[in-house]
Amino acid sequence: MKPSIIELPKYLDIRGNLSFVEEDTHLPFKIKRVYWIYDVPGGEIRGGHAFKETQELIIALSGSFDVVLHDGEKEHRYSLNRSYYGVLVPKMTWGLMENFSTNSLAVIISSTEYNPDDYVRDFDEYKRLKLVQGDNIVD
């Protein structure tokens, strides 16, 4: 599976709009954890790691930010600024989030519970693990 944009349903209403996500309809995984990132100071970067087993869907609920992913072969950049679009992040994908606007809010839907052993925090180690899996690495 490659990183991709998922368009979520949107219902427009003069009283306010509504979007949602369902695990069996929009996600290729069961939801085990939901967390959010907010109050990110200007210029800061979040992430900078990969997960061995975790898959995620990242959504900008408010404001905007960029999701930068590396799949072991090339970099993918997604600018999120609508709450009905999300970026699907497969396991073993290196990722970070940057260029947060003021008052942005990111929600992340995860396929696993928090496990510090699932993280790969060094890019060279990430590339080595991808090679062990039989994937080609191109810098």
Side-chain angles (χ1 to χ4, degrees):
M1 174 174 26
K2 295 282 186 188
S4 60
I5 288 281
I6 296 201
E7 185 171 359
L8 300 169
K10 61 181 174 181
Y11 293 95
L12 307 179
D13 189 299
I14 59 172
R15 302 168 296 161
N17 303 326
L18 181 143
S19 288
F20 61 92
V21 61
E22 296 172 343
E23 65 185 3
D24 292 325
T25 305
H26 308 110
L27 297 175
F29 58 82
K30 297 288 185 189
I31 298 170
K32 292 289 190 172
R33 179 171 53 128
V34 177
Y35 61 98
W36 45 99
I37 298 171
Y38 56 97
D39 293 341
V40 178
E44 288 298 320
I45 294 173
R46 297 297 312 239
H49 53 72
F51 293 109
K52 296 173 192 168
E53 296 299 326
T54 301
Q55 300 174 74
E56 293 183 326
L57 180 68
I58 302 173
I59 303 168
L61 287 184
S62 180
S64 64
F65 52 86
D66 295 335
V67 178
V68 183
L69 303 175
H70 198 289
D71 64 9
E73 295 179 8
K74 66 180 184 175
E75 185 176 282
H76 306 268
R77 179 176 291 270
Y78 303 92
S79 294
L80 294 179
N81 61 7
R82 298 284 186 256
S83 58
Y84 49 86
Y85 286 115
V87 176
L88 184 61
V89 183
K91 67 181 182 178
M92 282 307 291
T93 302
W94 187 267
L96 61 87
M97 299 162 62
E98 64 183 8
N99 298 323
F100 287 87
S101 69
T102 301
N103 296 323
S104 59
L105 171 60
V107 67
I108 296 92
I109 300 169
S110 178
S111 67
T112 63
E113 296 174 358
Y114 174 74
N115 177 359
D117 294 332
D118 192 34
Y119 285 75
V120 180
R121 297 186 185 273
D122 178 85
F123 191 69
D124 289 333
E125 174 69 6
Y126 166 74
K127 291 191 300 184
R128 188 190 68 73
L129 288 171
K130 290 290 278 191
L131 283 172
V132 168
Q133 294 176 351
D135 295 335
N136 294 324
I137 298 296
V138 177
D139 289 331

